């Protein structure tokens, strides 16, 4: 790493996409952002936006065969802006890796042994880790001399005590197959809990926060003094809150019932619970804006879906209030949490005895900065804190390679 190297390229590799951002950690600024989607299809698309000059987005449309071709195309776009991967100012490439198991509790420089361990975790993250691995291999091939850092979604939750992390099943079976609650969205929960403490003018070690990451995927966490003590997702991202297409909490016997009575095989049940449940299963839509529009028009299915979503959310707020004992703030974040005022209002409504309330006027305000939406008299602060997972990944990667 050269003396003036302060840039980090953040890569989030999906099965058919690559999201990326180039950040300068000297001041936390973004230099470029982009997305490659539909990799491997004839309709592939790359959208690249340099955040200097006129900031106009450039698009490429046409076949992009694989992740190697995608990253080479990204490198060419960055090069055109004078931000190439061969720049001596590039300090590291930070990779989002969804599952790190118990072994990876912090950002980690990737070598062959680390990559092998990430591969070993594929059975507990079959939808995510393989895509993350593909991105890592491709980036290492392009810049074998540059530190590649894995930042794990699960790492923030490894501070959970055993009584919160373990399922009540046979210990030998659980240990043999690595069955426990890992949690996800960890980079978001870490970032938002710290920003919430800053919003209150306190150090994270002084603050207990319930973080509600509400997007198409949704999760809650109880953060005591900067450490996660419980979270809603489990072995996989299926457990917990009602989500866009995932059921969240469900009686495990439903799986046996569907197999015995409906004749569904494992793959069909997996698809039902992960892709055809949640809001889309309840009312046919997983976009909260559309659901609210339908409610305003008197749609009963949409209204029931919304009520089920809010009911589950309230249950977790109540549960984590009990787990923490003292709550200083509830923070809403991610696409729905940041933008859907009716969700925030409904989730907190009726919790006045727990010290929580929402001011209607403050809640209606939109903005890109962290802000309080609770009235001054509320014992517990209610906040909207926009998440920034890419910045969190860049900060963690840069801190590691700088050290």
């Amino acid at each position: 790493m050269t003396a003036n190297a302060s840039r980090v390229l953040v890569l989030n590799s999906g099965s058919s996409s690559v999201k990326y951002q180039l950040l300068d950690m000297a001041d936390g600024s973004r230099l470029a952002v982009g997305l490659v989607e539909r990799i491997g299809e004839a309709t592939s698309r790359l959208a690249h936006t340099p955040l200097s000059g006129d900031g106009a987005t450039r698009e490429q449309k046409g076949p992009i065969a694989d992740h190697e071709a995608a990253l080479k195309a990204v490198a060419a776009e960055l090069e055109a802006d004078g931000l190439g991967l061969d720049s001596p100012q590039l300090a590291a490439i930070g990779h989002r890796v969804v599952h790190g198991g118990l072994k990876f509790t912090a950002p980690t420089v990737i070598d062959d042994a680390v990559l092998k361990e990430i591969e070993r975790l594929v059975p507990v993250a079959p939808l995510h880790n393989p895509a993350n691995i593909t991105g890592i291999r491709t980036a290492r091939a392009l810049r074998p001399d540059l530190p590649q850092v894995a930042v794990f979604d699960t790492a923030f939750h490894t501070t959970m005590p055993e009584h919160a992390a373990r399922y009540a099943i046979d210990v030998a079976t659980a240990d043999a197959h690595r069955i426990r609650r890992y949690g996800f969205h960890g980079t978001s929960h870490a970032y938002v809990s710290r920003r919430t403490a800053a919003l209150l003018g306190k150090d994270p070690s002084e603050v207990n926060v319930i973080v509600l990451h509400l997007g198409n995927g949704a999760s809650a966490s109880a953060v005591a003094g900067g450490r996660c003590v419980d979270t809603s997702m489990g072995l996989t991202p299926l457990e917990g809150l009602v989500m866009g297409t995932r059921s969240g909490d469900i009686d495990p016997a439903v799986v046996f019932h569907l197999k015995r009575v409906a004749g569904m095989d494992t793959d069909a049940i997996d698809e039902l619970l992960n892709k055809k449940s949640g809001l889309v299963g309840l009312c046919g839509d997983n976009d909260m804006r559309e659901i609210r529009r339908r409610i305003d028009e008197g749609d009963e299915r949409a209204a029931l879906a919304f009520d089920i979503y809010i009911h589950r959310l309230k249950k977790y707020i109540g549960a984590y209030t009990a787990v923490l004992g003292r709550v200083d703030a509830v923070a809403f974040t991610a696409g729905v949490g940041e933008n859907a005022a009716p969700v925030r209002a409904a989730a907190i409504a009726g919790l006045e005895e727990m010290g929580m309330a929402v001011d209607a006027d403050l809640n209606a305000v939109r903005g890109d900065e962290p802000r309080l939406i609770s009235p001054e008299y509320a014992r517990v602060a209610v906040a909207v804190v926009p998440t920034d997972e890419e910045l969190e990944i860049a900060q963690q990667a840069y801190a590691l390679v700088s050290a």
Side-chain angles (χ1 to χ4, degrees):
M1 177 174 164
T2 60
N4 65 340
S6 59
R7 296 176 182 171
V8 177
L9 176 64
V10 175
L11 295 178
N12 182 353
S13 299
S15 57
S16 61
S17 67
V18 176
K19 297 178 184 177
Y20 64 94
Q21 291 194 16
L22 180 66
L23 300 96
D24 192 333
M25 303 318 297
D27 57 9
S29 63
R30 283 169 175 75
L31 303 177
V33 301
L35 168 68
V36 187
E37 56 187 350
R38 298 191 291 274
I39 295 171
E41 300 180 20
T43 57
S44 304
R45 172 179 172 269
L46 188 161
H48 172 85
T49 306
L51 299 179
S52 60
D54 61 6
T57 298
R58 302 194 297 267
E59 284 194 13
Q60 293 183 28
K61 294 183 178 180
I64 297 177
D66 50 30
H67 282 70
E68 180 180 3
L71 281 186
K72 285 182 176 178
V74 169
E77 290 292 342
L78 291 169
E79 180 67 34
D81 299 319
L83 305 170
L85 296 189
D86 59 350
S87 169
Q89 292 179 278
L90 189 61
I93 297 178
H95 296 267
R96 180 197 181 207
V97 179
V98 167
H99 216 309
L102 289 180
K103 186 176 181 66
F104 299 113
T105 62
T108 304
V109 174
I110 300 167
D111 57 20
D112 291 342
V114 169
L115 191 57
K116 186 175 182 180
E117 182 64 21
I118 296 172
E119 289 175 331
R120 196 173 74 85
L121 289 163
V122 165
V124 290
L127 299 178
H128 300 95
N129 273 32
N132 303 153
I133 290 165
T134 299
I136 290 168
R137 284 181 173 150
T138 303
R140 289 181 83 197
L142 288 175
R143 279 298 306 269
D145 59 313
L146 193 69
Q148 312 267 337
V149 178
V151 178
F152 299 91
D153 271 17
T154 50
F156 182 65
H157 304 302
T158 57
T159 56
M160 280 193 295
E162 282 293 280
H163 61 255
R166 278 197 175 270
Y167 291 109
I169 65 173
D170 174 66
V171 171
T173 301
D175 289 349
H177 300 286
R178 303 190 296 279
I179 299 172
R180 61 185 290 119
R181 302 184 64 249
Y182 293 99
F184 299 88
H185 296 145
T187 52
S188 178
H189 286 281
Y191 178 85
V192 170
S193 60
R194 286 201 318 275
R195 288 301 301 266
T196 302
L199 183 63
L200 300 181
K202 296 183 179 181
D203 187 89
S205 64
E206 302 173 320
V207 177
N208 289 356
V209 185
I210 297 173
V211 178
L212 303 172
H213 177 107
L214 308 179
N216 193 50
S219 60
S221 67
V223 183
R227 294 168 59 86
C228 177
V229 296
D230 206 348
T231 192
S232 59
M233 287 179 167
L235 174 72
T236 75
L238 181 59
E239 187 180 357
L241 302 175
V242 175
M243 302 175 228
T245 66
R246 298 181 192 134
S247 66
D249 292 338
I250 194 168
D251 181 350
V254 169
V255 175
F256 315 140
H257 181 79
L258 290 172
K259 183 173 178 59
R260 293 169 183 153
V261 177
M264 297 174 67
D265 62 19
T266 303
D267 289 341
I269 297 171
D270 188 310
E271 184 176 14
L272 170 70
L273 297 181
N274 275 291
K275 298 180 180 179
K276 297 180 178 179
S277 296
L279 292 171
V280 79
L282 289 167
C283 71
D285 273 308
N286 63 332
D287 187 321
M288 187 58 71
R289 293 165 297 187
E290 181 63 16
I291 290 171
R292 291 301 310 177
R293 184 194 65 77
R294 288 171 56 185
I295 291 172
D296 291 342
E297 294 178 353
D299 189 310
E300 293 184 1
R301 280 187 63 195
L304 178 59
F306 184 81
D307 289 346
I308 293 170
Y309 181 95
I310 295 298
H311 179 71
R312 186 82 55 84
L313 196 51
K314 276 185 189 288
K315 285 174 67 174
Y316 270 91
I317 294 171
Y320 287 172
T321 297
V323 166
L324 290 169
R326 186 200 82 241
V327 178
D328 299 298
V330 176
F332 289 87
T333 194
V336 174
E338 294 170 27
N339 297 297
V343 169
R344 299 191 295 261
I348 301 299
L351 303 184
E352 290 80 10
E353 290 296 320
M354 295 165 60
M356 302 175 192
V358 166
D359 181 285
D361 292 335
L362 294 176
N363 191 33
V365 175
R366 298 178 69 90
D368 297 327
E369 294 298 320
R371 60 195 185 277
L372 294 177
I373 60 170
S374 48
E376 290 186 7
Y377 64 79
R379 187 171 72 250
V380 177
V382 180
V384 180
V385 181
T387 193
D388 196 333
E389 294 174 271
E390 289 77 16
L391 178 59
E392 179 71 16
I393 291 170
Q395 288 175 333
Q396 291 192 27
Y398 185 69
L400 180 62
V401 298
S402 297

